[in-house]
Amino acid sequence: GQQVMQIPQYQHVQEGEDFTTYCNSSTTLSNIQWYKQRPGGHPVFLIQLVKSGEVKKQKRLTFQFGEAKKNSSLHITATQTTDVGTYFCADPTNFGNEKLTFGTGTRLTIIP
Amino acid sequence: EAGVAQSPRYKIIEKRQSVAFWCNPISGHATLYWYQQILGQGPKLLIQFQNNGVVDDSQLPKDRFSAERLKGVDSTLKIQPAKLEDSAVYLCASSLVLVNEQFFGPGTRLTVL
């Protein structure tokens, strides 16, 4: 069935360093969503990408959707302690039922 | 705007006992979702409602889990009887339309002993 894999599973960075997480699908996606979950918190929607090759920015966060719509990435420039959490990509397409399938997540920790 | 409300926030039960969770979505959100999130994993969809109808319950263990949204607003998720592997956070989410941005509640952390 449909699988959405994320790498890396964990990432530890010094504050101020950049961070990137990658999301890969075994099939073509119609669109993709990104969520952030703080430790002990609940997922919070960040963005949705729809178009092939789309790039969107939110302050220090840059989101990309691959040309083939099978992969996506989230890049954070100059990480801050507030960036700590787990970042999930989520696939809204699954067997035509359009249910949200979350990726495995990348857990980001910041070393002050 | 009030967010998605869930109760209780924490629940500890013994295996084979029953438990129920409640969710009140954001006002006006027609679509409601229940997710199970096991520690260290991403949320897994259990059931999806559109108003008071079930859109998808393919991953709901129907021998022990049940959910309802009788009036198309708030919803309850029940587990009967609970197993050790049901220990997880149960998240409720809602959205205006199917597959739009989902708003999550704080979750209920269930521990089955």
Side-chain angles (χ1 to χ4, degrees), chain A residues 22-91:
Chain A
Y22 301 89
C23 180
N24 297 291
S25 170
S26 56
T27 59
T28 302
L29 305 168
S30 63
N31 60 82
I32 194 160
Q33 297 180 7
W34 284 91
Y35 289 79
K36 175 185 177 181
Q37 186 171 23
R38 293 180 182 273
H42 56 275
V44 175
F45 176 85
L46 293 176
I47 208 161
Q48 176 166 288
L49 304 173
V50 178
K51 299 177 183 177
S52 170
E54 187 171 16
V55 178
K56 285 188 176 180
K57 292 190 176 184
Q58 290 179 352
K59 297 183 180 178
R60 294 179 295 105
L61 278 61
T62 302
F63 302 85
Q64 292 190 347
F65 203 8
E67 292 290 341
K69 301 182 78 172
K70 284 189 173 185
N71 56 75
S72 181
S73 65
L74 159 59
H75 179 84
I76 303 178
T77 303
T79 54
Q80 300 175 359
T81 55
T82 53
D83 296 325
V84 165
T86 301
Y87 293 84
F88 292 99
C89 62
D91 167 25

Side-chain angles (χ1 to χ4, degrees), chain A residues 9-10 31 33 35 37 40-45 48 88 92-94 97-105, chain B residues 9 35 37 40-45 48 55-56 58-59 91 98-107 109:
Chain A
Q9 188 175 3
Y10 302 97
N31 60 82
Q33 297 180 7
Y35 289 79
Q37 186 171 23
H42 56 275
V44 175
F45 176 85
Q48 176 166 288
F88 292 99
T93 55
N94 193 2
N97 289 336
E98 297 186 324
K99 61 184 180 184
L100 208 57
T101 300
F102 279 81
T104 47
Chain B
R9 292 295 310 278
Y35 290 87
Q37 186 173 26
Q41 299 182 17
K44 183 185 84 171
L45 181 70
Q48 183 175 338
V55 174
D56 190 307
S58 58
Q59 298 193 99
L91 294 161
L98 279 174
V99 192
N100 206 341
E101 170 185 354
Q102 294 188 17
F103 295 82
F104 284 80
R109 183 177 298 276

Side-chain angles (χ1 to χ4, degrees), chain B residues 1-102:
Chain B
E1 178 182 80
V4 177
Q6 288 188 249
S7 67
R9 292 295 310 278
Y10 305 91
K11 191 72 177 179
I12 301 174
I13 61 172
E14 295 188 347
K15 60 182 179 183
R16 290 188 288 274
Q17 285 188 323
S18 302
V19 65
F21 313 126
W22 175 82
C23 172
N24 192 25
I26 292 173
S27 177
H29 281 196
T31 311
L32 184 148
Y33 314 79
W34 282 102
Y35 290 87
Q36 179 193 59
Q37 186 173 26
I38 293 172
L39 188 64
Q41 299 182 17
K44 183 185 84 171
L45 181 70
L46 294 175
I47 189 166
Q48 183 175 338
F49 292 94
Q50 178 76 3
N51 297 309
N52 61 349
V54 175
V55 174
D56 190 307
D57 63 357
S58 58
Q59 298 193 99
L60 187 74
K62 298 180 186 63
D63 58 334
R64 298 183 301 105
F65 286 65
S66 64
E68 60 184 14
R69 194 185 183 198
L70 293 176
K71 297 182 179 179
V73 180
D74 55 348
S75 175
T76 55
L77 175 69
K78 296 179 181 178
I79 307 176
Q80 181 181 9
K83 292 185 175 182
L84 296 176
E85 58 262 35
D86 298 332
S87 293
V89 175
Y90 290 84
L91 294 161
C92 178
S94 69
S95 66
L96 275 172
V97 295
L98 279 174
V99 192
N100 206 341
E101 170 185 354
Q102 294 188 17

